[in-house]
Amino acid sequence: MPEHPACTMTPNPLDEFGVISRFFTDRSFYPSAWPSQGAGDDCAFLDVGPMRLAVTADMMALGSHFLENADPYTVGRKSLAVNLSDLAAAGSEPKAFFLSISLPRIDQCWLDGFSKGLLEEARRFNCPLRGGDTVKSFAKPGQTPYTAISITAMGELPAGKGLTRAGARVGDDIWVSGTPGDAFAALGQIFGYWTFAEPLFGYFRSRMDLPEPRVALGRGLLNVATACCDISDGLVGDLKHILERSSVSARLFWPAFPKSDAMKLLPEAVQRRCILTGGDDYELLFTAPSDLREEILQIAERAKTRVSRIGEIVSAAEPMKIIDEKGTEIAYGTSFNHFGGAGS
């Protein structure tokens, strides 16, 4: 057998995005392939004749993305919702999805709940299941095999259109939908970071288990936003992807951040931890020219979605800052990153 060249190690450990950049970013030219762009964004765009497709794929597992004892109905709904959120971030209309699932055994009761939630979410957004694969998962002796769920979702876009993380310009406003932080408030209690009594925990748990894909808002922003992504790993962390791709920086205003009534009841330090770096919200974070504020509010009203203007895009020469009501810069932790650990 031919010898393989020696592996070249990077000086620092790679995180999730470092792995993607180093090992799975293929810039080769394929002359007969569909033209594509958007690699590194929430969706890839494939130009097929006069049509543009938005395609996203996510892998999820019980015990990692979901608690081991999670309700299979909410697992089914959320599994598809997080993919629909990626399509929303691209401004696309959902059209179809494909499911591959690895199961340690055939548990008909679990599958009944999972499929019910999955297909209810599909019908809500007119995005049918069109294929996939089912396999059995195995584990070493003494270990427990786990359930893994992989979904590839596809949406449709007008030719040449599609929102990406690149495109934010100096002077743009920074907006966010919904009330970020609610999902992580529940996760923090589950992990033992803090404790809330009912009904607070019940509200936060519902936001974690059943995120709402902002599909209508994303479609409305298609010709308005300059950059967009969804918040899966934490607002600050996902905003940094926009800043890096757009070669700009940001100034955020903490008093402008939207907070649910439940979030307002929590200590200030917990609010900042949840809202700034918590993640698992699947809200849309986007930038747009400042002269389009009224149009954005009208789009949000038609989409029946709350949006809040939380900052502005500034020159890349300035460090990103978050300013409190006194004009003082506040500190923030790091957002979630597979292989990089949860934010502190």
Side-chain angles (χ1 to χ4, degrees), residues 43 45 54 86-94 154-157 215 218-219 222:
C43 291
F45 300 146
D86 283 340
L87 295 180
S92 65
E93 180 180 1
M154 304 175 68
E156 189 174 25
L157 286 162
V215 172
R219 292 179 64 191
L222 183 58

Side-chain angles (χ1 to χ4, degrees), residues 62-63 66-72 75 205:
L62 294 187
F66 303 98
L67 302 177
E68 290 284 359
N69 62 348
D71 181 349
V75 172
R205 180 66 186 259

Side-chain angles (χ1 to χ4, degrees), residues 129 134 283 298 305:
L129 175 62
T134 304
E283 296 291 350
Q298 292 174 1
T305 302

Side-chain angles (χ1 to χ4, degrees), residues 276-297:
L276 295 177
T277 59
D280 215 29
D281 292 300
Y282 302 99
E283 296 291 350
L284 294 188
L285 181 68
F286 61 96
T287 60
S290 59
D291 60 355
L292 296 181
R293 291 173 184 172
E294 187 58 36
E295 184 173 350
I296 288 171
L297 292 175

Side-chain angles (χ1 to χ4, degrees), residues 254 268 272 276 321-325 328-332:
W254 174 245
E268 180 78 1
R272 291 182 181 182
L276 295 177
K321 293 181 180 179
I322 305 175
I323 308 299
D324 68 12
E325 60 278 358
T328 303
E329 184 176 356
I330 65 175
Y332 54 88

Side-chain angles (χ1 to χ4, degrees), residues 57-343:
D58 271 304
M59 172 72 77
M60 292 150 280
L62 294 187
S64 177
H65 298 83
F66 303 98
L67 302 177
E68 290 284 359
N69 62 348
D71 181 349
Y73 171 82
T74 62
V75 172
R77 282 194 58 178
K78 188 172 181 178
S79 294
L80 182 56
V82 301
N83 286 268
L84 296 175
S85 181
D86 283 340
L87 295 180
S92 65
E93 180 180 1
K95 289 295 182 182
F97 76 98
F98 298 81
L99 167 71
S100 293
I101 186 167
S102 173
L103 300 166
R105 63 187 182 281
I106 301 298
D107 182 335
Q108 295 188 42
C109 290
W110 189 92
L111 287 169
D112 183 65
F114 173 80
S115 63
K116 181 180 180 181
L118 181 79
L119 298 179
E120 278 188 14
E121 195 76 355
R123 287 189 289 271
R124 286 181 68 219
F125 292 94
N126 195 33
C127 185
L129 175 62
R130 293 305 194 202
D133 192 20
T134 304
V135 298
K136 182 175 181 178
S137 57
F138 294 90
K140 294 180 179 179
Q143 296 180 344
T144 302
Y146 59 88
T147 298
I149 302 153
S150 177
I151 288 180
T152 298
M154 304 175 68
E156 189 174 25
L157 286 162
K161 296 287 186 177
L163 298 174
T164 71
R165 296 171 182 167
R169 300 186 293 261
V170 173
D172 282 354
D173 291 326
I174 302 171
W175 298 78
V176 69
S177 69
T179 54
D182 291 339
F184 191 79
L187 202 59
Q189 174 149 328
I190 292 167
F191 287 163
Y193 299 161
W194 43 67
T195 300
F196 315 128
E198 293 288 357
L200 275 187
F201 179 66
Y203 166 76
F204 290 136
R205 180 66 186 259
S206 69
R207 294 277 284 136
M208 181 186 76
D209 287 342
L210 297 172
E212 181 66 29
R214 304 300 187 182
V215 172
L217 177 64
R219 292 179 64 191
L221 294 172
L222 183 58
N223 295 310
V224 177
T226 52
C228 186
C229 69
D230 76 340
I231 305 173
S232 56
D233 296 329
L235 190 151
V236 168
D238 286 314
L239 175 60
K240 286 183 176 180
H241 296 318
I242 288 179
L243 303 183
E244 291 166 2
R245 292 289 304 280
S246 302
S247 300
V248 292
S249 187
R251 186 182 299 117
L252 302 174
F253 306 106
W254 174 245
F257 277 69
K259 301 174 185 178
S260 65
D261 290 340
M263 182 64 65
K264 292 175 184 177
L265 299 175
L266 307 186
E268 180 78 1
V270 176
Q271 291 185 29
R272 291 182 181 182
R273 173 67 183 92
C274 293
I275 294 172
L276 295 177
T277 59
D280 215 29
D281 292 300
Y282 302 99
E283 296 291 350
L284 294 188
L285 181 68
F286 61 96
T287 60
S290 59
D291 60 355
L292 296 181
R293 291 173 184 172
E294 187 58 36
E295 184 173 350
I296 288 171
L297 292 175
Q298 292 174 1
I299 291 169
E301 184 176 2
R302 290 193 294 270
K304 300 179 180 179
T305 302
R306 174 181 179 177
V307 295
S308 303
R309 182 164 51 91
I310 61 171
E312 61 186 358
I313 295 295
V314 298
S315 167
E318 300 183 38
M320 193 186 92
K321 293 181 180 179
I322 305 175
I323 308 299
D324 68 12
E325 60 278 358
K326 297 178 181 179
T328 303
E329 184 176 356
I330 65 175
Y332 54 88
T334 56
S335 294
F336 180 79
N337 186 320
H338 287 281
F339 307 106

